[in-house]
Amino acid sequence: MDQWIADMELKKGFIVPARDARQAGANGLFAGQKGALMFVGSWDIHWCQENCKFDIGFVPLPEGPFGRRTMFNGLADSIWVGSRHQEEAWKWVKFLASPEAQQIVGGYGVVFPAIPEATELAKKAIAKKGIDVSAYVSEAADPNATFLFPITDHASEVLRITRAASDAILLNGEDAAKILKAANNEVNTLFD
């Protein structure tokens, strides 16, 4: 998949190149019409609507040679262990997770709540602004399209290794198969 993405940006010029996006920001380059496509999360919907002075649309991620998959970016309401207001915080967190609170949030159309009915409210609120976000909603609902952030031992080392591999591919145009095989071997040694 990394090779396919790298080819889309570095060879074909369809996607704002990662090396340019890292310096100037993919959103700004896209809004400045320096790329036909960019990868954005649902948190960028409002920014795109406000800053792109041309017609925009949101579509599912491109389907590469291994299909369409993305890491799920869920958020959680948490309580600091050192809080002096544990009971009050727990009441607040329980309320935030309730259907009532999720429907309030969904009605504003800023984020997609965890409860499907509230997500539909958000989808409708955003549609009133002229934006179709069904690509985000359908991809998130597809059990084969998303995966959770991996939880593992040596997480910081794994992230360092995989980030360096992705940079080599997406920034420098190096061969994905070769780089990823070496990165996989390096990660595996962490667990020996």
Side-chain angles (χ1 to χ4, degrees):
M1 184 63 111
D2 275 352
Q3 187 66 58
W4 184 81
I5 293 170
D7 289 348
M8 291 292 110
E9 65 176 43
L10 298 173
K11 292 182 181 175
K12 298 182 180 178
F14 294 146
I15 301 171
V16 173
R19 65 177 167 244
D20 297 337
R22 188 170 274 177
Q23 292 174 2
N27 289 8
L29 290 169
F30 180 75
Q33 301 181 0
K34 301 296 182 193
L37 301 168
M38 72 171 171
F39 294 113
V40 295
S42 59
W43 54 89
D44 289 313
I45 293 168
H46 181 73
W47 188 95
C48 290
Q49 181 193 25
E50 292 294 316
N51 293 283
C52 296
K53 304 304 177 196
F54 49 87
D55 290 338
I56 58 170
F58 298 96
V59 298
L61 287 170
E63 189 167 331
F66 299 104
R68 178 182 294 123
R69 305 255 317 169
T70 185
M71 189 163 54
F72 190 81
N73 184 38
L75 303 175
D77 300 307
S78 304
I79 303 169
W80 176 47
V81 69
S83 171
R84 292 181 299 200
H85 302 283
Q86 294 282 328
E87 279 189 47
E88 294 89 344
W90 177 234
K91 286 178 184 176
W92 178 243
V93 166
K94 285 194 298 189
F95 171 72
L96 291 174
S98 73
E100 178 187 359
Q102 295 287 298
Q103 290 175 3
I104 292 169
V105 170
Y108 283 99
V110 177
V111 296
F112 296 118
I115 297 173
E117 296 79 18
T119 294
E120 284 302 313
L121 289 174
K123 188 175 158 185
K124 289 175 184 173
I126 297 168
K128 287 180 183 175
K129 300 173 187 174
I131 299 175
D132 177 8
V133 293
S134 58
Y136 288 110
V137 176
S138 61
E139 200 159 320
D142 181 350
N144 297 315
T146 61
F147 57 92
L148 297 174
F149 189 88
I151 298 173
T152 183
D153 291 332
H154 309 289
S156 61
E157 294 95 341
V158 171
L159 183 59
R160 177 189 52 77
I161 293 165
T162 55
R163 182 172 285 152
S166 288
D167 284 353
I169 297 162
L170 298 174
L171 299 177
N172 302 330
E174 294 187 35
D175 179 71
K178 178 181 169 188
I179 295 296
L180 292 175
K181 183 175 182 178
N184 188 58
N185 290 338
E186 191 176 352
V187 167
N188 285 340
T189 63
L190 296 171
F191 297 91
D192 287 341

